[in-house]
Amino acid sequence: MAISKNCESTTRRDCLRLGLGALIGGGLIDALRVRGQAAIPSARPMSCILIWMDGGPSHYETFDPKPGAPAEIRGKFKPIDTAVPGIQFSEPMKRLASIADKFSIVRSIRHDQGNHGAGNHYMITGAPPRIPVGCGAFVSFHPSMGAVAAHERGAAGGLPPYFSIPSMLRSGGPNFLGAKYAPFVVPDDPNSSSFRVRDVAPPRDLAEPRVGDRRGLRDRLDHFKRFAEKSAGDPALALDEYYDQGYELMSSNQAQRAFDITLEDPRIRDRYGRNSFGQRCLLARRLVEAGVPFVTLNEGGWDHHVSLFDGFEKRMPAFESSVAALIEDLNQRGMLESTLVLALGEFGRTPKINKDAGRDHWSNAMSVLVAGCGTPGGQVVGATDARGYAASERVLSPENFAATVYAKLGIDPGKMLYTPSGRPTFLVSDPTPIRELMG
């Protein structure tokens, strides 16, 4: 796991929390290092909402049913027709089936990383891990797509450019790009009546005048000789930018409005679903609307080794209805052409149902939903074999997937990055986008 430490094994985060960060309340400065620096063009830039189905959703029970396979492979659910003649999804995907003309499904991405830690890294960064990693590992050998978007694009109105809701992905960090391109995490539940984003407003027990007093104290401290000399490399001085960003976020009307989900029409909120995931989807739309280029919704619970069918019956109706509502809402607002919506996990599931009525890890096949940013609707890219064992037509890689995301966001997937030591690193080793998705 990539954590920036000094030679005494103290993280910069610890310094912020234990040192000057206490002046305005701990976690604020730490979270706000994600603020990007790039200018935003006048036209609406492309943004991405990545719905990460952590654990690896089954391709059989979502977008790649196999009705002709034996019972121990095809499973409990039947295929259903979609809005596009000739395309079928699995039975739990009813709402998405009804709007299948609005997005594409890729059925033929495969890789060789069959555990959660490695699979997560490969799909989120477009780069395979450099060494074997365990299932529970949080690893970072390459910047995540969200961090790259933050680095290349920045954001407007005092908002950070990269969000991860309600938690950060295992490999969602910035690696050598630097900690200020890490995601701003919003752990609180927007479906709660007490929803309040930490650090976007002063703490409840800290009145506005006291915030100003604390900033004034910092300003006075800056006149001390050590600070006034502005020595190059002084770590205390390096914090100034993060404090300024913190105050800017707390004082930004655009930021306050983006997070105030109560401003939405109750009927819109109902359409997304009055549940945690549904309201997170709505919050993601509001953040993109406010100029944020990359939002990740980290939704775990898809590692169905046991009771897969019961799990899908309980969870999928609300989940896929919220995804459909997001796509429809973006389309109705004229935002789908500038917003890329992705739904995927780290891999698919095994062809044969196991003794516990579940499916196990399987990286030879997976399905990915892609909508927006000029993606043609109503198509399926690639195919798996008759029993869903492996991608067999138009076989694609995580590199092709990452290159597609970057190309759609206006970032050159063939770009060369440089580590702090000057070592050159390709953004994506194979910068070939999936041509069928490029419109």
Side-chain angles (χ1 to χ4, degrees):
M1 175 169 57
I3 298 179
S4 177
K5 293 190 176 184
N6 62 22
C7 60
E8 298 176 343
S9 295
T10 301
T11 66
R12 188 163 179 270
R13 175 167 296 186
D14 291 334
C15 293
L16 289 170
R17 285 179 173 166
L18 299 176
L20 294 178
L23 289 176
I24 61 169
L28 169 62
I29 302 310
D30 192 33
L32 287 173
R33 290 180 292 171
V34 301
R35 177 76 188 281
Q37 303 299 311
I40 299 298
S42 57
R44 176 184 287 277
M46 301 297 183
S47 299
C48 179
I49 298 174
L50 168 62
I51 300 167
W52 182 253
M53 301 171 71
D54 193 65
S58 169
H59 53 295
Y60 294 92
E61 279 69 46
T62 52
F63 301 111
D64 196 7
K66 298 296 179 181
E72 67 270 19
I73 291 176
R74 70 173 180 263
K76 174 180 178 178
F77 300 127
K78 299 177 181 178
I80 58 173
D81 292 332
T82 71
V84 181
I87 296 178
Q88 291 188 320
F89 295 163
S90 186
E91 193 174 3
M93 314 305 289
K94 292 182 175 65
R95 283 278 286 110
L96 284 169
S98 71
I99 62 164
D101 59 319
K102 303 266 189 314
F103 56 85
S104 289
I105 296 295
V106 183
R107 288 178 175 168
S108 57
I109 295 175
R110 60 169 296 178
H111 57 80
D112 59 357
Q113 304 293 329
N115 68 64
H116 298 298
N120 186 300
H121 188 279
Y122 207 173
M123 294 304 300
I124 290 299
T125 69
R130 297 173 186 167
I131 59 174
V133 297
C135 251
F138 282 64
V139 294
S140 178
F141 301 105
H142 195 77
S144 66
M145 293 184 290
V148 172
H151 180 267
E152 296 294 312
R153 289 275 309 280
L159 283 161
Y162 173 26
F163 281 78
S164 196
I165 307 170
S167 58
M168 192 173 87
L169 303 186
R170 298 166 192 257
S171 298
N175 194 259
F176 61 78
L177 292 180
K180 71 178 179 179
Y181 300 113
F184 186 112
V185 176
V186 181
D188 300 310
D189 184 358
N191 193 48
S192 169
S193 59
S194 60
F195 174 61
R196 177 185 173 91
V197 177
R198 181 176 62 92
D199 299 330
V200 173
R204 296 182 188 276
D205 59 349
L206 189 63
E208 293 282 355
R210 292 186 63 196
V211 174
D213 289 346
R214 292 187 180 196
R215 187 170 194 178
L217 175 59
R218 286 195 65 252
D219 291 340
R220 289 192 294 276
L221 286 173
D222 284 345
H223 290 291
F224 286 179
K225 184 175 186 296
R226 177 171 177 264
F227 295 110
E229 288 176 348
K230 300 187 181 298
S231 302
D234 190 325
L237 289 175
L239 296 177
D240 286 348
E241 178 184 357
Y242 308 132
Y243 281 109
D244 290 340
Q245 291 172 6
Y247 288 116
E248 183 179 351
L249 181 54
M250 283 195 295
S251 62
S252 167
N253 291 331
Q254 187 171 351
Q256 302 296 328
R257 288 185 59 83
F259 287 116
D260 191 354
I261 203 167
T262 64
L263 296 175
E264 288 288 336
D265 185 326
R267 293 170 295 182
I268 297 294
R269 297 192 68 180
D270 291 343
R271 190 185 309 167
Y272 275 84
R274 295 285 185 153
N275 56 72
S276 298
F277 175 67
Q279 298 304 293
R280 287 178 187 134
C281 285
L282 178 54
L283 179 59
R285 190 222 79 204
R286 291 182 62 82
L287 291 171
V288 165
E289 201 168 26
V292 174
F294 208 100
V295 181
T296 295
L297 300 178
N298 187 15
E299 294 296 317
W302 301 99
D303 192 21
H304 286 116
H305 294 280
V306 177
S307 303
L308 182 152
F309 306 104
D310 289 344
F312 262 64
E313 286 176 335
K314 291 175 182 176
R315 184 175 189 186
M316 188 55 82
F319 181 87
E320 64 104 27
S321 180
S322 296
V323 176
L326 173 63
I327 294 171
E328 289 182 305
D329 191 22
L330 289 168
N331 186 55
Q332 291 166 2
R333 292 171 182 270
M335 294 175 59
L336 192 58
E337 280 302 305
S338 61
T339 308
L340 181 65
V341 179
L342 307 166
L344 70 152
E346 54 265 51
F347 38 58
R349 310 301 293 190
T350 49
K352 189 173 181 179
I353 300 166
N354 65 28
K355 63 181 179 58
D356 297 312
R359 299 186 192 268
D360 302 313
H361 304 176
W362 195 252
S363 61
N364 286 321
M366 62 189 298
S367 292
V368 176
L369 180 152
V370 184
C373 279
T375 302
Q379 70 170 340
V380 170
V381 178
T384 55
D385 61 63
R387 297 191 176 188
Y389 275 83
S392 59
E393 297 177 16
R394 189 73 172 97
V395 179
L396 298 160
S397 68
E399 286 88 346
N400 299 136
F401 170 69
T404 303
V405 174
Y406 288 133
K408 284 184 170 291
L409 294 180
I411 299 168
D412 177 9
K415 182 173 183 172
M416 186 74 75
L417 301 177
Y418 293 88
T419 68
S421 64
R423 180 174 63 86
T425 301
F426 282 111
L427 181 54
V428 185
S429 61
D430 177 3
T432 308
I434 302 170
R435 62 177 183 271
E436 296 91 336
L437 301 180
M438 298 308 295

